[in-house]
Amino acid sequence: MTERLLAPFTAIGRAALSLASGIGRWGVFAGDTVRSLRHVDVWGRLLLEQMSRIGADSVPIALFISTFTGVVLALQASYTFTGAIPMYFVGVLVGKTMMLELGPVLTGLALSGRVGANIAAELGTMRVTEQVDALETMAYPPLAYLVAPRVLAGIIMFPIVTVLAVGIGVVSGWLTSLQLLDMSTAEFLRGLTLFFRPFDVVFTVIKATSFGLIVTSIGCYFGFHTRGGAAGVGQSTTRAVVASSMVILVLDAFWAVVLL
Amino acid sequence: MSIILDDVYKAFGPHEVLRGFSLEVRDGETLVVLGESGSGKSVALKHMVGLFSADRGEVWVDGRKLRDLPTEELYELRRGIGYVFQFAALFDSMTLEQNVGMGLRRIGGLSEQEIAKRVEECLAVVDLDGLGARYPAELSGGQRKRTGIARAIAARPKYLLYDEPTTGLDPVTKAVIDQLILRMKKELGVTGVVITHDVDSACLVGDRIAMLYRGRRRFLGTPDELKATVDPVVKGFIEGRPELMEETE
C-alpha cells in the first residue's frame, strides 16, 4: 500500500536522476569534444563539407518555413489590428516576431529534425557497424573526426541560415501586406523600423548560435553512444530530436529572461 | 617484443566476459584464438589494440603497457597494428580507394601520388585491382572482407588482427580469405592474431591455437596438439560434440 502511494514520487525521482546523469554525461562528452579541437589536422579539412551539409543544405527548408510564417504573421496582425491600431504596426509585428522569436525558434526546431536526426542516425550507424572503432584503430580521434566538425559547422551555419530565414520571412510579410492588405511599402517600412534596435540582430544571432551548438552536440551525443542494431539507431535518432527540441524551447525562454 | 595479455578480466555490467585470460603472441607467428560464439574472443582482440580497457590485468604491446599510455602514444602504437573487422567496417560514404588510403593520410609524410600508388598495391594484393572507384555497397561479402584486409595492411603494420575473417562466407570465398591470411604472413612478414570459431581455418592458418572457454584460456598448442587433445571441452568443441563439453560442467 505504501509502495503504491510512493510510486509516483519514486518515478519522478528516477526521472530526475536520469535527467541529471544525462546532462552530466553530455557535459563530459562536450568537454572531451572541446579537448579534441587540438587535432586541427583531423577536423580542419572536414569543416567545409559539414558546413555545406548542415548549413547550405538546410536553407530550402528554413526558407520554406519562414516564407509562410511571414505571410501568416502579416495576415494575423492585420486581422487583429484592423479598426483599432494603425496598419503600419503590421510591419512592427512581422519584424519583431520574426527576428526575436519565430525566425530562430522555428528554424532551430526544423533543423533539429533535419540536422539533429541526420547526425544521430549517421553516427549511430557508424557506431553499430564498428566504423567508429575502425577510425580509432587507424589512429583517428573519433571526437575530432566525427563530432568537432559537425558541432563547429552547426555553430557557424545556424546563425547564417536563421538570418536568411528572418530576412525571407520579413520579405514575405511585406509582399503579403502589399498584395493582400492594401498597405504601401512606406507604411510597412515605417512599422518595421519603428521599434528596431541593432541589438535585435545580436539577440537573434546569439539564440541561433546556441541552437546550433545544442542540435549538433545532442545529435552527436546520442549517435555516438548508440547501442544495438537498427533499433538502437532509431532510438538514438528519436531521442536526439526530442531532446534538442526541448532544450531549444528552454533556451528560448532562458535568453529572453537573460537578454531582454 | 610482441603482444601479451596478462590475467585480463573484463565485465559488461553483471556479465563477466574475460575472467583471467592470458596469452602471449610471439613475433612472426599467426596465433588463432578459437572459441564458441559469445565466448569473448572479439573482446580479447579489442583489448590488444586498446579499444577496450581491462578491468583487471594488463595488456602489453611491444613492451608498452596500454593502460599507462597517453592517448597520443596509443595512437602512435595503433599505426603499427592493422585490424580487420568482422563485418569489414568500411566507411560507406567512401570509395574503396578512399577507405584503403584513410590510414595512410593519418600517418602523413606521403604525397597524394604515393598514397594512390600504395592503395593500388594493397588492392592488388587482395585481388581487387581495378575496383578502387567502387563503393562498399557495390561489393560482395568476400570483396568487403578483402577490402578490410587491404585497408589493414596499407600502413604496413607489424601486427594484423583478424576478427572472424571467414564468418558468413561461402566455402570458396572462405578458402580465398584463408590463403590471403597465409600470404600476409609469408609476403609481408606480419605477426597475426586470428579470432574464429572455424576449426578447419584455425588449423590451416595458425602456427599455434588457443581456445577461450568461459573467459579463460583452456588450451594452447599447435594444430597437431589440438587434434590430439584429450581435454573433453576442447575435443567436444573441435568435434562439434556439445555432450562432451557438458559432461565436464
Side-chain angles (χ1 to χ4, degrees):
Chain A
M1 184 66 182
T2 319
E3 271 181 23
R4 258 191 200 173
L5 285 172
L6 289 175
F9 299 102
T10 311
I12 291 168
R14 282 204 183 117
L17 277 176
S18 169
L19 178 68
S21 67
I23 292 170
R25 282 195 297 271
W26 175 84
V28 171
F29 180 76
D32 290 342
T33 302
V34 170
R35 275 189 288 282
S36 79
L37 290 176
R38 68 180 186 277
H39 300 287
V40 184
D41 57 324
V42 174
W43 61 260
R45 57 199 167 84
L46 301 167
L47 185 59
L48 271 181
E49 182 196 334
Q50 290 302 329
M51 284 168 67
S52 166
R53 288 177 62 184
I54 288 171
D57 294 354
S58 299
V59 168
I61 181 71
L63 297 193
F64 181 82
I65 290 170
S66 63
T67 300
F68 286 93
T69 307
V71 170
V72 171
L73 273 178
L75 292 174
Q76 286 188 346
S78 153
Y79 170 77
T80 309
F81 296 160
T82 302
I85 297 173
M87 284 304 282
Y88 63 80
F89 270 86
V90 170
V92 175
L93 191 127
V94 169
K96 280 283 184 185
T97 313
M98 278 308 298
M99 198 167 290
L100 298 181
E101 181 62 19
L102 292 185
V105 172
L106 289 184
T107 305
L109 290 175
L111 267 55
S112 80
R114 206 199 83 81
V115 173
N118 180 291
I119 289 175
E122 188 180 5
L123 267 56
T125 305
M126 289 185 75
R127 171 60 80 188
V128 300
T129 56
E130 294 186 309
Q131 291 177 51
V132 177
D133 287 343
L135 277 175
E136 288 224 41
T137 60
M138 286 187 284
Y140 281 89
L143 290 177
Y145 189 86
L146 296 172
V147 179
R150 284 169 172 80
V151 174
L152 287 173
I155 290 171
I156 296 166
M157 295 309 290
F158 266 53
I160 295 172
V161 175
T162 301
V163 167
L164 273 175
V166 169
I168 289 296
V170 171
V171 168
S172 71
W174 164 59
L175 291 175
T176 305
S177 305
L178 289 186
Q179 298 301 316
L180 300 177
L181 304 178
D182 292 330
M183 281 174 66
S184 66
T185 298
E187 271 183 300
F188 186 85
L189 284 179
R190 184 181 172 200
L192 190 65
T193 54
L194 190 61
F195 296 114
F196 175 78
R197 290 186 304 159
F199 178 73
D200 293 350
V201 180
V202 176
F203 183 74
T204 305
V205 169
I206 289 173
K207 270 170 88 162
T209 307
S210 66
F211 295 166
L213 169 70
I214 286 303
V215 167
T216 50
S217 63
I218 287 180
C220 287
Y221 172 77
F222 282 108
F224 206 77
H225 294 98
T226 300
R227 292 285 176 269
V233 175
Q235 267 184 354
S236 293
T237 308
T238 307
R239 283 178 184 161
V241 174
V242 170
S244 54
S245 299
M246 288 168 70
V247 176
I248 281 175
L249 296 174
V250 171
L251 267 181
D252 185 37
F254 171 80
W255 288 126
V257 170
V258 171
L259 295 177
L260 294 183
Chain B
M1 294 296 195
S2 196
I3 300 175
I4 297 169
L5 268 65
D6 182 17
D7 202 24
V8 169
Y9 285 76
K10 184 70 181 177
F12 296 97
H15 181 51
E16 288 183 321
V17 180
L18 299 179
R19 297 188 298 167
F21 183 56
S22 295
L23 195 69
E24 181 177 349
V25 186
R26 296 174 188 155
D27 259 352
E29 73 170 348
T30 298
L31 176 70
V32 178
V33 181
L34 272 179
E36 298 168 292
S37 296
S39 60
K41 306 183 295 293
S42 296
V43 172
L45 196 70
K46 286 184 175 175
H47 276 81
M48 295 180 192
V49 71
L51 286 175
F52 285 142
S53 179
D55 297 338
R56 271 168 56 199
E58 297 298 345
V59 179
W60 303 75
V61 178
D62 287 343
R64 287 188 279 183
K65 199 196 288 186
L66 294 197
R67 192 188 300 280
D68 295 344
L69 282 185
T71 313
E72 295 305 323
E73 283 185 42
L74 180 62
Y75 285 142
E76 189 61 42
L77 185 89
R78 282 176 179 163
R79 289 172 188 172
I81 303 174
Y83 198 108
V84 181
F85 286 87
Q86 186 174 356
F87 299 105
L90 302 177
F91 302 111
D92 310 320
S93 57
M94 296 182 190
T95 63
L96 299 202
E97 285 167 345
Q98 289 167 330
N99 264 287
V100 176
M102 187 84 177
L104 296 174
R105 289 194 172 81
R106 179 69 181 135
I107 290 170
L110 292 174
S111 68
E112 278 302 313
Q113 278 180 332
E114 288 169 319
I115 290 173
K117 189 165 174 276
R118 179 85 69 87
V119 167
E120 207 176 304
E121 285 168 9
C122 292
L123 287 173
V125 167
V126 297
D127 298 323
L128 288 176
D129 30 350
L131 300 185
R134 291 202 187 173
Y135 284 88
E138 299 169 317
L139 302 179
S140 68
Q143 287 173 323
R144 288 169 70 93
K145 295 242 181 185
R146 277 145 63 193
T147 308
I149 294 174
R151 185 173 69 181
I153 62 172
R156 295 186 180 152
K158 181 180 173 190
Y159 302 105
L160 263 182
L161 311 183
Y162 304 87
D163 189 357
E164 307 261 11
T166 56
T167 301
L169 298 179
D170 63 82
V172 176
T173 312
K174 191 165 81 88
V176 170
I177 299 291
D178 285 341
Q179 289 305 318
L180 207 49
I181 294 172
L182 290 170
R183 275 176 60 197
M184 293 302 111
K185 184 189 169 196
K186 193 177 165 194
E187 293 175 15
L188 306 177
V190 292
T191 301
V193 181
V194 181
I195 296 297
T196 185
H197 51 247
D198 184 327
V199 179
D200 294 335
S201 282
C203 291
L204 180 67
V205 304
D207 297 310
R208 289 193 304 152
I209 298 171
M211 183 173 163
L212 180 59
Y213 182 70
R214 298 195 169 175
R216 294 192 183 93
R217 196 182 72 205
R218 181 79 184 199
F219 170 87
L220 180 64
T222 64
D224 288 337
E225 287 167 341
L226 178 77
K227 286 170 191 164
T229 185
V230 290
D231 182 332
V233 169
V234 182
K235 205 172 167 59
F237 179 77
I238 61 175
E239 292 177 5
R241 293 166 62 194
E243 70 276 7
L244 279 180
M245 301 170 82
E246 283 162 13
E247 281 167 15
T248 63
E249 285 172 12

